[in-house]
Amino acid sequence: MMLWRIPLALGLFGIGVWCLLYAERVQVRITYYHESLKRTRYASQFFLRVTSVNYEMLLRFFGLILILGFFLLVVDTGMRIERLRTP
């Protein structure tokens, strides 16, 4: 019936929490890679621009959107179950 909603909700929540909790750690790794890339002579300007961007706020925003999607899915599922249960 609505069993596909359970893995979707858990996936939204899990990925959202991961984005919120590990955004800083991911940004530190990107910054470290950027600093090591600057020291090489093979670094292209494109990769230097991509790795110089601060992605932490974007990852946190994406995590927040995913968690809000999780809550919307849970509320929608609850409303559908209530609608099916009432005569």
Side-chain angles (χ1 to χ4, degrees), residues 57-77:
M57 187 60 79
L58 182 65
L59 281 171
R60 289 184 189 265
F61 179 73
F62 183 66
L64 179 67
I65 294 297
L66 288 176
I67 290 175
L68 287 175
F70 161 76
F71 285 128
L72 286 175
L73 186 63
V74 167
V75 167
D76 182 54
T77 304

Side-chain angles (χ1 to χ4, degrees), residues 13-25:
F13 187 72
I15 295 171
V17 167
W18 183 86
C19 284
L20 284 177
L21 294 179
Y22 289 101
E24 184 177 355
R25 185 175 282 178

